[in-house]
Amino acid sequence: MEEPKLNYVKTDVLIIGAGGAGLRAAIEAHNMGVKVLVVSKGKFPSGCVTATAMGAMLAPFDRQDSIERHVDDTLRGGSYLNDPALVQILVSNAKQRALDLERYGTDFDRSDGKYELFPYTGSSVPRGVLAGDRYRGGFFKGLVKEAAILGIDIHDEIMVTDLLKEGNAVVGAAGLDLKTDTVLIVSAKAVVMATGGAGNLYSLTTNLPGITGDGYALAYRAGARLADMEFIQSRACMIYPEAMRGTPPPADGCVTIGGRFYNGLCERYMGKYFPDKLEQVTRAEMSKSAQKEITEGRQSPHGGVFGDLSGVPPAELAKFKAFVKTCAELNFDPAWQPYEWAPGAHHVMGGIVINERCETGISGLYAAGEVEAGIHGANRLAGNALTETQVFGAIAGASAAAKALSASVIQAPKGSVESIKNRVLHILKRGKGIEPSEVKKEVTRILSLYVGVLRNEEGLKRATQSFSDIRATQIDQLALGAERSFRNFSSLLEVENILLIGEMIAQAATMRRETRGAHNREDYPRLDAEWSKNIVFQLQDGKRIISVKPVNASAPSS
C-alpha cells in the first residue's frame, strides 16, 4: 500500500470545530487581525450540533432579572461544583453576546421591541432568548453569515487525530481529510479546541452521529487536564414516533407552559417525586424520575414514558415550526397525540480545565464550548450551553489571537509527522481484525446500562472491568476491512476515543460516592458536602493520574 499523502498548511490560529463556539472564536480572532483556519469533522454547517440546537441562550435581559440572580441560579443548578469565576464571566457577558448574534443576522423572538423571554426549568425568572426557526439553524444563522462575510477559511470533513507539540507547547494539529484521503498537517501559532461533547458514547442521544468525545481525547493525550467527567446530562429524548428517535421534544416537553408526563399506567408520575413542582424541575431530576419509572416496569409500550403537549396553548406550540412540521409529515399530531421519550445523553458538564482566558495549561492550546469544564458544575441549566459557546468562544478567539500576534510559526515537528504517517499506514495495512462498529456498540451498551442515569457500585465495577477487557483484547485488533478509506479510518479512531472517555466517566462515577446533579448513585442517594470537589484526570509520563481538588483549585494559572 502506498504511503498516505500529506498536505501541509500554515495559519495563525487553528480552530478545531465549526459549531457555535468555534465560529465565535473564529470571528473574534479574525477581527484582531490574524489568519484563521477552521476545521470541522462534519459537513459545514449542517454537521454542527449548534445548527440543530433549539436556539435559546440565557441572558438577564428582564427587569426583574439580574446578573446576580442568573449567577445564583447557575451555581445552584450545578450543585456548587461550578467555577464561580467562570460563571461570573458567563453571565456578565451574556447580554452583549446575544446582541452580537443579532447584529450578525440571527433573528430572536421579539414583541414590542423587547425579547420574548422563555421560562426554562431551573431559572427563577424567564431569561431564555429564543431564535426563530428552532432546531433548524435559526440560532446558528448569524454566525454562519458573519463568517462568510469575513471570508473565514473553513474546511469541513476533517477529523483531527493529533495535536502537534514542541516541548510543552501545541504548535498545530494533524488530521484525516475524509474527502481526499490525505493527511492534513497544520502548523499554527495557537489552537482553539471547540469540538463539542460526547453524546454518542450512549445508545440514545440528542447529539449528531459524529459527536464522540474527540476533543477531550485530543487534549488529554496532549497533557491537558479533564475534570467533572462523571456528570453527563440527559434530557427528554423521543423514542416514538420511531422516525423522530433522538429528537428532544421542544423546551423539555414544554413543561413550563402546559406540557405533562405520564407513565405506562397513565399516571402523572412526577407528583410522586416532586409534589410541589411536578414536571418543572431540572433536567437531571426529570431524567432520574423517568428512568425510575422505566426501570421499575411502568414504562410506555416502546420502553419510555409519555409526553403530553395537549395542555400547551396552540399558539405557543406553533412557534416550534420544525418540530410541528416533522410531526405532520409523519401523520402525528402532538397537540393531542402523546409521544414517547426516555432519557438520552445530551450534554457533558465536564471537559478540559480552563482559566478565565480559556487557557488550558498547555501553551498555545485554548478551549471553548461544551468541550470545556467548570461552567456548569454537576448539572447545566437549560439555555446556558449556547450562552457558553458565545461568551467563551469570543474569549478563546481573543486569547488565541493575542498569542498568535506575539509568536512566530513553528514548523510541524518532523518526528511527530513521521510518527503520525507511520501509524496511519500501519492501520491501513492491518489485515483481518475486529470490526470497529461492533466494539463501539458494546462500549455504548455498557455505558448506557451501567453508567447512565442511575448508577451503583456493582454496575460501575462491571463497566470498569468490561472496558479493561476491551482495551486488553480488542482495541489493538481493530481493522478497516475491505474498504480502507479515511472515512472508515475515522470510525476506527472514534472507537478509541469513545473507550478512553468512557473509562474516565466510569472511574469518576465510581469514585464519587454521592448523588449530585446529573450523577445519581442509587447506593449513595444523598449529596455529601465532603464531595464538594472536582475529580481531575491528566496523562503524565504515559500514566493516567487521577486527583481530587477543591473547586477552582485545578484551573491553570497560565
Side-chain angles (χ1 to χ4, degrees), residues 490-509:
S490 70
S491 298
L492 183 153
L493 297 180
E494 284 179 346
V495 175
E496 293 183 355
N497 292 341
I498 285 172
L499 178 62
L500 174 64
I501 304 308
E503 288 173 332
M504 292 189 213
I505 294 171
Q507 286 179 317

Side-chain angles (χ1 to χ4, degrees), residues 427-467:
I427 294 177
L428 289 174
K429 282 183 174 180
R430 190 178 291 166
K432 293 182 180 180
I434 299 171
E435 169 62 43
S437 63
E438 292 302 313
V439 180
K440 178 182 178 181
K441 184 178 180 180
E442 179 63 6
V443 172
T444 57
R445 184 192 72 82
I446 292 166
L447 280 163
S448 301
L449 186 61
Y450 300 123
V451 202
V453 175
L454 300 178
R455 303 163 174 178
N456 57 56
E457 190 82 12
E458 181 182 357
L460 291 168
K461 285 182 177 178
R462 287 185 181 180
T464 300
Q465 184 59 55
S466 296
F467 291 155

Side-chain angles (χ1 to χ4, degrees), residues 41 77 84 109 111 117 122 128 187 203 211 264 269 287 321 327 341 347 433 435 461 480 483 507-509 512 538 546:
K41 182 180 176 184
D109 289 356
S111 179
L117 300 175
S187 298
S203 303
I211 309 302
Y269 63 87
S287 295
K321 296 176 184 177
C327 289
W341 70 272
H347 189 95
E435 169 62 43
K461 285 182 177 178
L480 301 183
E483 185 184 341
Q507 286 179 317
R512 186 172 290 278
Q538 188 173 24
I546 308 175

Side-chain angles (χ1 to χ4, degrees), residues 193-484:
M193 192 71 70
T195 48
N200 283 279
L201 269 70
Y202 291 84
S203 303
L204 181 63
T205 179
T206 63
N207 289 190
L208 293 171
I211 309 302
T212 51
D214 302 343
Y216 305 123
L218 285 166
Y220 170 77
R221 292 181 183 124
R225 286 168 286 181
L226 304 184
D228 299 336
M229 297 304 293
E230 65 271 37
F231 297 110
I232 310 295
Q233 183 179 72
S234 297
R235 68 171 293 186
C237 197
M238 292 177 69
I239 57 173
Y240 189 83
E242 178 63 33
M244 297 181 75
R245 180 180 176 84
T247 301
D252 296 310
C254 295
V255 295
T256 60
I257 54 173
R260 305 287 184 262
F261 297 149
Y262 297 88
N263 62 21
L265 303 178
C266 295
E267 299 169 330
R268 192 174 172 186
Y269 63 87
M270 290 300 290
K272 294 188 295 185
Y273 305 105
F274 301 96
D276 297 326
K277 296 181 179 179
L278 297 174
E279 291 85 2
Q280 296 193 42
V281 296
T282 66
R283 285 173 173 170
E285 293 164 336
M286 195 181 290
S287 295
K288 181 179 178 180
S289 302
Q291 191 61 53
K292 282 189 175 182
E293 294 298 303
I294 295 166
T295 302
E296 293 174 7
R298 296 181 292 277
Q299 70 268 35
S300 62
H302 294 88
V305 293
F306 290 112
D308 173 22
L309 299 175
S310 63
V312 178
E316 292 295 322
L317 186 59
K319 290 180 179 179
F320 299 96
K321 296 176 184 177
F323 174 77
V324 173
K325 181 181 179 183
T326 302
C327 289
E329 291 169 351
L330 299 172
N331 296 315
F332 178 80
D333 186 354
W336 66 272
Q337 290 178 286
Y339 60 90
E340 294 180 51
W341 70 272
H346 182 60
H347 189 95
V348 181
M349 269 71 73
I352 305 168
V353 177
I354 62 167
N355 64 13
E356 293 91 336
R357 295 175 296 281
C358 291
E359 295 167 331
T360 64
I362 307 295
S363 180
L365 180 63
Y366 304 83
E370 189 176 347
V371 77
E372 72 194 13
I375 288 85
H376 307 297
N379 187 40
R380 176 181 67 83
L381 290 191
N384 261 347
L386 293 184
T387 308
E388 175 186 27
T389 67
Q390 298 310 288
V391 171
F392 290 94
I395 293 171
S399 296
K403 172 73 172 178
L405 288 169
S406 65
S408 57
V409 172
I410 300 174
Q411 296 289 342
K414 289 184 179 180
S416 298
V417 173
E418 194 66 23
S419 176
I420 290 166
K421 185 177 70 173
N422 290 338
R423 180 169 180 255
V424 170
L425 187 59
H426 175 72
I427 294 177
L428 289 174
K429 282 183 174 180
R430 190 178 291 166
K432 293 182 180 180
I434 299 171
E435 169 62 43
S437 63
E438 292 302 313
V439 180
K440 178 182 178 181
K441 184 178 180 180
E442 179 63 6
V443 172
T444 57
R445 184 192 72 82
I446 292 166
L447 280 163
S448 301
L449 186 61
Y450 300 123
V451 202
V453 175
L454 300 178
R455 303 163 174 178
N456 57 56
E457 190 82 12
E458 181 182 357
L460 291 168
K461 285 182 177 178
R462 287 185 181 180
T464 300
Q465 184 59 55
S466 296
F467 291 155
S468 179
D469 293 343
I470 290 171
R471 181 165 295 283
T473 63
Q474 300 182 45
I475 205 69
D476 289 333
Q477 303 302 317
L478 297 176
L480 301 183
E483 185 184 341
R484 302 190 180 187

